[in-house]
Every structure is written in structure tokens, then in C-alpha cells.
């Protein structure tokens, strides 16, 4: 091929890229993501809707938003929506229940802003949980203010360490009965954890069922993300926004163990540390507690300008859990969630479905 043909070919690809960019990205995604996080008041939107709205801004696995809310003035029930489970990566629904815990924690914080006390209890029969609301007079919890700022930031961080006082503060904020958080900030142990991440990540990326499930939840451009308002929008992970007809067939070519492991290594080596959430028992009630503890940790970190993202591969690949548990000295307890933290600029924010899709009659 002549040099001139190459230039024309290159120009065509660039033009296609620009057209794709114009078609698939636009101000409307950012506008929607910002509108979702605009200040609200219980008076203007109704107390129940105010509580549920803030609950839905919680972290949740694959952004499937696997929750259904019902209730009224004195209590809110949060049930798992198993139609939105991810059975390959999460066969026992651990992540579903952890996600319910994240939502319940946000809901309790929102209740404090509405002047209500709250108590969270798990329901029998893996039926989710109930948040009981007390009478007026509670003082607003300052963690509430970070709900709209929190995000999972899946980029390479800037390598700065977190000062000891902030480490102590985020560890203390994460306290939830029945769950402990372990912070790992020393390089040798972070490298050992990275080794487990790489082994587990390789197993996941090489499993066609895992890849197919993940791909189903990826929204490859802003149009798809806006239509569905759930799932993993590629730009939130630092990936290009592309038309689905290009991105879907190409996914298998770029999503390789080698490329993903290299990303994980850069992400870990630029982070200040890991937070590992380990609950006392391996059952849905305690998975909820792990989710609550993570959510509190995430909000307290966000309030201090500390960012975080999950690297859950070694807790998702069941055969890797004992090795991670031994490395951390958990005394045989199952590590629930693995999160890295540090400093970075924000990434594009994720969307949520409308309240009408998640509020149901009991
Ligand atoms: C239980 C649980 C497991 C998760 N696992 C991962 C993970 O392994 N990797 C990852 O990048 N994000 C993980 N996430 C983060 C979600 O993808 C994220 O919360 C969701 O996409 C919404 O984005 P946001 O938290 O920025 O609002 C997990 C979240 C929860 C609650």
C-alpha cells in the first residue's frame, strides 16, 4: 500500500472515530449523571422517595441495581431482585446481598438528614432487609454529604500515600458490628495481593461464561448507557465510547488476560493501599454487613478526597479465597470485598434507573 493510501485510510478511521464519538458521546450523558446527583430534599420529593433515591446511589455489583424497595412512613424493606443477579461471577448471591447492604447504609444516612433514626435488620429466608425508621429528632450524619460524590474510580492513581490520621479515620468510619476492615499499605503485602488478583483475573478472563456475562452488562456508549441506565458504561472504566456494532465483536480481541493483568498491576502499584472487608460469618446477613462497612468506608474516604475501586477477583474466584484469607490472617473467615484506595481525578459517573423501576408495593 502506498503512503498516500495509508494516510487516506488513517484519515477514514479517524473520521469514523470522530463520527462515532459524536454519535455516542454528548453532553446529555454528563447532564443526566449530574442531574441524578443534584441536591434533593425530603420535603420537595417526599420522604420515602428521598430515602430510596439516595439508597440507589450506592455501589452495587456490575451496576445491575439488584434491589426492590417497598414500605412507607415507619420502615423500608429492601429485597434482592434476583432477575438482576450475575450467577457466573456471583453464584451464591454474595454480591447481591453486599449491594443491598450498601443501599441500606445510604438509606440510613438519608434518614438522618430527614431527622429520622434508623435500624437495619436482615429478614429471614434470604429475603433482604428492613430499615426501621424512628421518630423525628435525629441529627444529620455528615457522611450523607459524600453520597452524591462517591464513585468507583477505576483509573491509575497518583501514587501518593494516605496520611496516618486519614487511614485511622476511614478505618474507624467503616465500623459495623459483625464485620472488620483490614488496611494493607505496605508494598510487599500489596504485591502479594496483586499476585492473587492476577491469578484470579486470568481465570476469569479465560472463562467464556464470565466474559459473556460481563459483556451483557457493559454499555459500550453513552446512548446505550442512557437507554438502560444500568450496567457498566465503558467510559466509567476509562475505555472508549464506541458504537455497539464495532465494540461488541471487538471486545474479545481487546479483553485479554495479559492486557487486563497489566492494567491491574498499574492500578495497584499507583494506589496507597488495600481495604479488605471480612465479616464474622459467611451468610447473607453478614454479606449485608460487609456491604454496609464498605459503603461507610467509601463515603468517609470520598469526604477526604481519597478515591477507591474494587479489585474483587480473588474473592470472586472461590478457590483463591483461602490464600487471600491466609495472607491477611483472617483466622479462616471469608474475605468479602477487596478495595484499593488512593488519590486520582474523578472519572465519568454511573447512572441509575428511575425510582419507578425499583419501588414496588410490598
Ligand atoms: C459487592 C460489589 C462488588 C463489586 N465488584 C466490583 C469489581 O470486582 N470490580 C469493579 O471494578 N467494580 C466492582 N464493583 C463496583 C460496581 O461496579 C459499581 O459500584 C457500579 O458500577 C456503580 O458505580 P459507582 O459505584 O461508581 O456508582 C462492585 C460493587 C459491589 C457493591
Amino acid at each position: 500500500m502506498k503512503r498516500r493510501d495509508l494516510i487516506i485510510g488513517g484519515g477514514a478511521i479517524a473520521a469514523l472515530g470522530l463520527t462515532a464519538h459524536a454519535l455516542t458521546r454528548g453532553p446529555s450523558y454528563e447532564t443526566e449523571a449530574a442531574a441524578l446527583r443534584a441536591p434533593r430534599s425530603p420535603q420537595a420529593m417526599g420522604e420515602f422517595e428521598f430515602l430510596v433515591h439516595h439508597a440507589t446511589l450506592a455501589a452495587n455489583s456490575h451496576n445491575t441495581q439488584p434491589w426492590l424497595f417497598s414500605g412507607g412512613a415507619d420502615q423500608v424493606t429492601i429485597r434482592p431482585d434476583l432477575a438482576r443477579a450475575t450467577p457466573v461471577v456471583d453464584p451464591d448471591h454474595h454480591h447481591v446481598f453486599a449491594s443491598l447492604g450498601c443501599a441500606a447504609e445510604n438509606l440510613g444516612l438519608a434518614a438522618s438528614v430527614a431527622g429520622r433514626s434508623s435500624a437495619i435488620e436482615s429478614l429471614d429466608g434470604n429475603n433482604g432487609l428492613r430499615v426501621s425508621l424512628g421518630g423525628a429528632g435525629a441529627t444529620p450524619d455528615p457522611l450523607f454529604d459524600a453520597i452524591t460524590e462517591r464513585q468507583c474510580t477505576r483509573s491509575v492513581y497518583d501514587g501518593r500515600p494516605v496520611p496516618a490520621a486519614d487511614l485511622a479515620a476511614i478505618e474507624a468510619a467503616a465500623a459495623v458490628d459483625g464485620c472488620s476492615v483490614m488496611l494493607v499499605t505496605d508494598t510487599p503485602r500489596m504485591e502479594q495481593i496483586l499476585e492473587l488478583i492476577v491469578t484470579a483475573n486470568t481465570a476469569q478472563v479465560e472463562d467464556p461464561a464470565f466474559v459473556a456475562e460481563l459483556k451483557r452488562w457493559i454499555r459500550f456508549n453513552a446512548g446505550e448507557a442512557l437507554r438502560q441506565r444500568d450496567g457498566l458504561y465503558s467510559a466509567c472504566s476509562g475505555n472508549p465510547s464506541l458504537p455497539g456494532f464495532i465494540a461488541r465483536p471487538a471486545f474479545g480481541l481487546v479483553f485479554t488476560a495479559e492486557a487486563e493483568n497489566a492494567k491491574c498491576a498499574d492500578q495497584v502499584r499507583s494506589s496507597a493501599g488495600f481495604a479488605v472487608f471480612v465479616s464474622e460469618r459467611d451468610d447473607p446477613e453478614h454479606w449485608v454487613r460487609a456491604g454496609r462497612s464498605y459503603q461507610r468506608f467509601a463515603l468517609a474516604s470520598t469526604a477526604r478526597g481519597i478515591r477507591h475501586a474494587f479489585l474483587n477477583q480473588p474473592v470472586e474466584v472461590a478457590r483463591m479465597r483461602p490464600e487471600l484469607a491466609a495472607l491477611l490472617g483472617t483466622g479462616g473467615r471469608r474475605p468479602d470485598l477487596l478495595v484499593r484506595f488512593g488519590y486520582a481525578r474523578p472519572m465519568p459517573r454511573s447512572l441509575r434507573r428511575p425510582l419507578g423501576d425499583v419501588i414496588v408495593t410490598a
Side-chain angles (χ1 to χ4, degrees):
M1 191 186 287
K2 291 185 184 130
R3 188 167 171 272
R4 186 172 154 275
D5 295 339
L6 262 179
I7 291 168
I8 292 170
I13 290 171
L16 179 65
L18 277 177
T19 313
H21 183 82
L23 283 174
T24 58
R25 267 183 70 88
S28 58
Y29 182 89
E30 283 75 17
T31 307
E32 284 297 309
L36 189 63
R37 292 161 176 90
R40 320 260 163 150
S41 77
Q43 293 77 18
M45 70 185 301
E47 188 180 275
F48 178 65
E49 286 76 12
F50 177 81
L51 301 185
V52 174
H53 169 71
H54 288 94
T56 63
L57 292 179
N60 65 95
S61 182
H62 281 43
N63 199 22
T64 68
Q65 305 161 40
W67 40 48
L68 294 169
F69 298 84
S70 57
D74 300 329
Q75 61 170 54
V76 178
T77 302
I78 313 179
R79 294 191 195 280
D81 182 354
L82 294 181
R84 293 181 161 266
T86 47
V88 179
V89 71
D90 186 33
D92 59 4
H93 298 150
H94 171 283
H95 283 2
V96 170
F97 283 89
S99 302
L100 299 192
C102 299
E105 197 58 35
N106 271 14
L107 197 142
L109 295 170
S112 79
V113 169
R116 311 285 299 270
S117 63
S118 60
I120 300 169
E121 59 173 316
S122 279
L123 299 171
D124 288 341
N126 298 347
N127 251 331
L129 50 93
R130 179 186 301 125
V131 186
S132 304
L133 303 169
T139 44
D141 189 318
L143 279 186
F144 171 84
D145 298 334
I147 288 179
T148 51
E149 282 300 312
R150 186 210 59 80
Q151 63 162 213
C152 291
T153 310
R154 299 187 188 86
S155 52
V156 173
Y157 294 175
D158 72 6
R160 273 187 295 147
V162 172
D166 280 343
L167 287 176
I170 56 180
E171 186 175 4
V176 165
D177 277 351
C179 182
S180 44
V181 58
M182 297 175 165
L183 300 188
V184 178
T185 55
D186 62 289
T187 306
R189 275 211 306 164
M190 285 180 68
E191 285 292 323
Q192 286 176 304
I193 295 176
L194 172 59
E195 260 180 53
L196 301 185
I197 291 171
V198 164
T199 307
N201 192 52
T202 304
Q204 288 183 327
V205 176
E206 290 179 351
D207 174 2
F210 172 89
V211 177
E213 182 178 81
L214 175 64
K215 200 167 149 184
R216 265 202 302 282
W217 287 101
I218 295 183
R219 309 295 172 237
F220 286 101
N221 56 66
E224 287 184 4
L226 282 166
R227 259 193 313 280
Q228 306 282 119
R229 298 189 72 98
D230 62 8
L232 302 162
Y233 173 35
S234 51
C236 297
S237 304
N239 293 317
S241 189
L242 290 169
F245 72 88
I246 295 176
R248 273 194 180 80
F251 184 69
L253 302 175
V254 292
F255 189 71
T256 62
E258 197 185 356
E260 293 306 306
N261 288 339
K263 270 191 215 166
C264 291
D266 287 345
Q267 291 171 353
V268 169
R269 291 183 178 137
S270 64
S271 297
F274 282 112
V276 195
F277 299 83
V278 185
S279 57
E280 273 165 21
R281 291 210 310 269
D282 189 14
D283 59 25
E285 185 194 332
H286 286 77
W287 303 338
V288 165
R289 288 174 191 270
R292 290 180 55 196
S293 180
Y294 151 77
Q295 189 69 24
R296 296 184 60 80
F297 170 90
L299 294 171
S301 299
T302 303
R304 286 169 177 76
I306 302 164
R307 302 206 169 268
H308 70 280
F310 290 87
L311 280 171
N312 272 329
Q313 293 91 333
V315 302
E316 290 169 349
V317 176
R319 68 171 188 279
M320 303 294 302
R321 282 181 214 140
E323 232 179 296
L324 180 62
L327 198 154
L328 296 165
T330 67
R333 287 176 298 153
R334 168 181 179 170
D336 287 285
L337 299 167
L338 177 60
V339 171
R340 68 186 171 102
F341 60 85
Y343 297 98
R345 293 170 61 76
M347 296 284 282
R349 296 176 289 182
S350 58
L351 293 180
R352 296 293 186 275
R353 289 177 295 146
L355 291 187
D357 287 17
V358 296
I359 295 177
V360 293
T361 46

